Structures are given as structure tokens and as C-alpha cells.
Amino acid sequence: MTAPDAGRGIWNGEETGTFGLPADSFRILHVSTGNVCRSPITERLTRHALADRLGDPLWGGLIVESAGTWGHEGAPMEANAEAVLADFGADASGFTGRELLDEHVIMADLVLTATRDHRAQVISMGHSAGLRTFTLKEFTRLVKAIDPATLPPLEDGMVARARALVRAAAALRGWLLAPTAEADEVYDPYGAPLPFFRSIGDEINQALDPVVTALTGVPARA
């Protein structure tokens, strides 16, 4: 997706901030390699979970996107990735792959990567990305250690809560290390059969659950 013109202004009748985005938005960027398997699954499962818990198509100002460090620009997601999303009742329609660009990192308030290598690549791009870039599983581990009572109340808006969550997670990063290096990885299912894709989808969904709960204050439906 191409960003609106940079600078402040008005977008859809609202005051806008950097890159013309609504001033009260919070942008989550999921990153993998080709942007046809893991990051599309994570993007659409995040959107699905937010819509399911909030019942609001705007998700309280949260914008969820994805890109790939070697992104297949304009490509559809893998058919097995679409099948995984269908298993969860998530919408796979209208997706096209993107190569990760500087502007994506600049605009993102939170970058969640599939692996540590992806995280390192994002951080190496600069743009002060280090404090807002985590692997998905790393961020999950940190979020689970944060007391929800220390976050801004939902009455203050989901964007304020999301920003506080990222700051709290960044502060904990050096204290809550992964038990193993592999614990923070989501492995690439590209070219694998559907059962492996489904196992990766389950892994991603389980990692997202505490994150979406922390963002929204709403647990998953039983």
C-alpha cells in the first residue's frame, strides 16, 4: 500500500500526522521473507481477532499490514496459507505481497517479525526501529509478563494503550530472555504440505492471542 503524501493535513476529514495517516492511528507491521506465507497469515489472523473481539471494522485505530524482506511484490499469498486462514474463519481476500521498504518501517508503531533474522534486518534499516521491533513470539513472551493494570484504561483509547504496551515490552526485553534461540522463531512453511502450514497457523494464532488480549482488554471467546 502506498502511503499518503507526507506531512500533516486532512485525510477523510480527520487531522493527520506523519505520512498523512490519522493522528490517532497505531500501525502494526508483520514481517517475514516472501510475504506470501507467514506474514500474510499473521496479518489476517490479527485483523480477524481484532474484529472478533471489538466488533469494529476500524479496530479502535489499529492498522495491520505485512511485508517481506524478500517480498514477492504483487504476488498472492500461497494457496495453503489461504486454506489455513479459512480454517480460522479469517478473510484472505484482496491480499498482494509487498517488499519491505523504508517507508513501511518508518510508519510502523510496532513491527513483529517471524524470526530473529527478520528482526535484525528491520533494525538494520535504521529509523529508530530497535525499540519497536520484536519477533512475534518474543513480543508474546514479554506481553504475558505485563500487568494489564499498568496500561492505560481502554477509556483512554486503544492507540494510547498500544503505545504503552510497546514501551513496557521494550523495557522488559533484557530481563525476560527466551529459553532457547529457537523459542522466538516461526519457521517457514513455504513449499511444505498443508498439515505443516496448519501447524504454523496454530503456532501463530496461539502467539497472537495474548497480544490481542493485551491490546483490546478483551479475551478470546471460549
Side-chain angles (χ1 to χ4, degrees):
M1 184 171 76
T2 302
D5 291 338
R8 299 190 68 83
I10 301 295
W11 187 34
N12 291 342
E14 298 182 17
E15 182 184 358
T16 61
T18 306
F19 290 95
L21 298 171
D24 59 348
S25 66
F26 182 92
R27 190 171 289 258
I28 301 171
L29 176 67
H30 294 294
V31 174
S32 63
T33 303
N35 194 215
V36 292
C37 298
R38 288 168 291 182
S39 51
I41 291 172
T42 315
E43 172 197 314
R44 295 306 175 94
L45 285 181
T46 304
R47 292 185 185 184
H48 179 68
L50 289 169
D52 182 60
R53 300 189 199 194
L54 299 177
D56 180 354
L58 298 179
W59 307 311
L62 303 183
I63 300 168
V64 185
E65 301 176 306
S66 64
T69 55
W70 290 86
H72 299 192
E73 189 74 30
M77 75 173 76
E78 286 286 294
N80 282 347
E82 291 188 357
V84 167
L85 291 174
D87 290 342
F88 288 99
D91 183 13
S93 65
F95 180 86
T96 55
R98 303 191 306 175
E99 182 177 355
L100 181 66
L101 303 176
D102 288 276
E103 69 185 56
H104 302 145
V105 177
I106 292 168
M107 289 189 294
D109 297 285
L110 172 62
V111 183
L112 297 176
T113 69
T115 70
R116 292 168 298 147
D117 282 347
H118 297 132
R119 182 185 64 194
Q121 289 180 65
V122 171
I123 293 172
S124 73
M125 295 171 73
H127 316 303
S128 303
L131 291 177
R132 51 195 167 90
T133 302
F134 310 79
T135 74
L136 171 61
K137 289 186 175 180
E138 174 192 21
F139 194 66
T140 299
R141 183 177 67 255
L142 298 172
V143 163
K144 289 168 72 174
I146 296 169
D147 182 355
T150 64
L151 299 174
L154 293 172
E155 291 77 13
D156 289 356
M158 199 162 301
V159 170
R161 186 179 177 92
R163 288 175 179 157
L165 185 68
V166 173
R167 290 194 298 270
L172 284 174
R173 185 170 3 214
W175 298 93
L176 291 176
L177 302 179
T180 65
E182 291 73 24
D184 281 344
E185 305 281 289
V186 176
Y187 291 107
D188 193 354
Y190 185 76
L194 182 56
F196 186 69
F197 264 84
R198 285 184 165 139
S199 71
I200 294 297
D202 288 339
E203 200 173 310
I204 290 170
N205 190 60
Q206 290 175 24
L208 283 173
D209 178 68
V211 174
V212 177
T213 297
L215 285 170
T216 64
V218 180
R221 299 183 195 184

